[in-house]
Amino acid sequence: MDLLHIVTQMLMIFGIVLVGLFAAKRELWSGDLDRKLSVFIMNISMPALILASVMGKDLAFENSELIALGVVAVVNYVVLIGLAYLIPHIFKVNKSRLGIFRFMLAFGNVSFIGYPVCDAVFGPKAVFCASVLNIPFNLLVFTIGVSFINGGKAKSAFSPKLILSPCVIASLIAVVIAIARIKMPTPVGEWFHLLGDLTTPCALLIIGSSLSHIPVRDMFGNRFVYSMTILRLIVLPLAVGGVLALMGINPFVSDVAVVLSAMPVATNGIMLCLQYGQDERVMTQGLFFTTLLSVVTIPLVAYLASLF
């Protein structure tokens, strides 16, 4: 794996995030545009990006890779959620922040940042891998994730409709195309690629715009946030990589899984904190720090994972 290539791609990604932040600060980009464009991305361009990942001459998948994806999709979250339960006991985290700490460790921003990063670092083939690995996310974040946030005192926010979200449906269709080795006509593949290519720049601009709304006082965390950041961005991804290496998982699939597990804190956390009356300021600080530092840590983790 070329470290210089990864660093270059991450700097390009961060540059687009900065453009979004600058545009929002100069009032060239509005919060209303964030909301509308987010809906467009999650319902149209991102599903197109996922489907495009299995349409092309060089995007065929071996049976070993498909089997590995199914195994890794399970193992990845077993490791992340297992460590999210274990690590707070080692650090003796205060009960008032225990659930927030666990949520930030277990769940990363695997969609809005995960897909663009995988596409930029590994190419279109990795988007399909990421789409399969992300299938459990909605189910887990709105069940186990909610139990972390509210301590089991409120009903789960999970809805069966989440299983039928456009991204999940696109992921399942992509799996069928890959397994059946269905070859799409070239114009169809190019159409999906063209539409899907809107996802990366638009998603990164929205992230930059979102960061611009974080008050300056909330950008500076504390030892709690700093410790969580190191664990989420470096320790947990390497733990995932170590487990997958011991299992002898296909290196390409393993690398994609490790990079996905190195994503910043999931944005769903802030929404859930507001919904269940928890401290959203800590979650916001965690989101900001992990997003900012991921520009440096993702290339580092990707390189270290390749050494396994």
Side-chain angles (χ1 to χ4, degrees), residues 47-69:
L49 180 68
I50 292 170
L51 290 171
S53 68
V54 289
M55 298 179 185
K57 294 181 180 179
D58 301 322
L59 299 178
F61 287 82
E62 300 296 330
N63 290 336
S64 61
E65 290 178 316
L66 295 174
I67 293 172
L69 278 172

Side-chain angles (χ1 to χ4, degrees), residues 285-300:
Q285 290 172 337
L287 173 63
F288 174 78
F289 265 95
T290 53
T291 301
L292 183 65
L293 294 183
S294 65
V295 178
V296 176
T297 58
I298 287 176
L300 175 63

Side-chain angles (χ1 to χ4, degrees), residues 3-290:
L3 179 60
L4 179 60
H5 170 72
I6 299 173
V7 172
T8 302
Q9 292 301 314
M10 289 306 301
L11 288 175
M12 291 173 62
I13 287 172
F14 186 61
I16 298 178
V17 170
L18 289 179
V19 171
L21 192 151
F22 174 79
K25 288 291 188 182
R26 299 289 294 178
E27 298 185 355
L28 301 174
W29 190 283
S30 67
D32 187 53
L33 181 58
D34 277 349
R35 289 186 291 273
K36 291 181 178 179
L37 196 54
S38 295
V39 173
F40 171 81
I41 290 173
M42 297 306 294
N43 288 278
I44 297 178
S45 70
M46 194 172 289
L49 180 68
I50 292 170
L51 290 171
S53 68
V54 289
M55 298 179 185
K57 294 181 180 179
D58 301 322
L59 299 178
F61 287 82
E62 300 296 330
N63 290 336
S64 61
E65 290 178 316
L66 295 174
I67 293 172
L69 278 172
V71 173
V72 174
V74 175
V75 172
N76 183 47
Y77 278 103
V78 168
V79 173
L80 291 177
I81 293 175
L83 290 177
Y85 273 105
L86 178 62
I87 290 175
H89 292 295
I90 299 174
F91 281 79
K92 297 180 180 180
V93 177
N94 187 290
K95 287 186 177 180
S96 63
R97 292 180 171 179
L98 180 61
I100 293 176
F101 191 71
R102 282 176 170 165
F103 183 95
M104 290 193 288
L105 292 180
F107 299 105
N109 196 340
V110 294
S111 295
F112 247 59
I113 299 182
Y115 289 127
V117 168
C118 286
D119 190 24
V121 174
F122 299 108
K125 191 173 181 179
V127 176
F128 171 73
C129 296
S131 70
V132 176
L133 297 177
N134 288 345
I135 288 175
F137 178 82
N138 280 335
L139 174 63
L140 295 173
V141 78
F142 289 105
T143 50
I144 293 176
V146 168
S147 72
F148 285 159
I149 297 294
N150 64 30
K153 296 178 181 179
K155 293 182 179 179
S156 167
F158 176 74
S159 167
K161 292 181 180 180
L162 293 170
I163 295 294
L164 299 177
S165 69
C167 285
V168 172
I169 293 174
S171 299
L172 296 175
I173 293 174
V175 169
V176 172
I177 292 174
I179 292 175
R181 299 184 180 277
I182 300 173
K183 293 184 178 180
M184 294 293 178
T186 300
V188 174
E190 290 179 351
W191 185 87
F192 275 101
H193 277 282
L194 185 62
L195 181 58
D197 285 345
L198 292 172
T199 303
T200 297
C202 290
L204 297 176
L205 288 170
I206 290 172
I207 291 168
S209 174
S210 299
L211 291 178
S212 73
H213 302 307
I214 299 177
V216 175
R217 67 178 182 277
D218 286 342
M219 292 183 180
F220 299 95
N222 47 47
R223 285 184 296 178
F224 172 83
V225 174
Y226 301 150
S227 299
M228 181 281 305
T229 297
I230 294 173
L231 290 167
R232 161 117 284 280
L233 296 181
I234 299 178
V235 177
L236 266 66
L238 293 181
V240 170
V243 171
L244 296 179
L246 291 174
M247 295 174 61
I249 296 297
N250 179 291
F252 181 78
V253 173
S254 177
D255 287 346
V256 173
V258 170
V259 168
L260 275 180
S261 64
M263 290 299 113
V265 172
T267 54
N268 307 67
I270 296 175
M271 175 192 71
L272 293 175
C273 281
L274 292 171
Q275 183 174 349
Y276 295 107
Q278 299 299 321
D279 186 2
E280 77 279 2
R281 182 180 177 183
V282 174
M283 189 70 76
T284 301
Q285 290 172 337
L287 173 63
F288 174 78
F289 265 95
T290 53

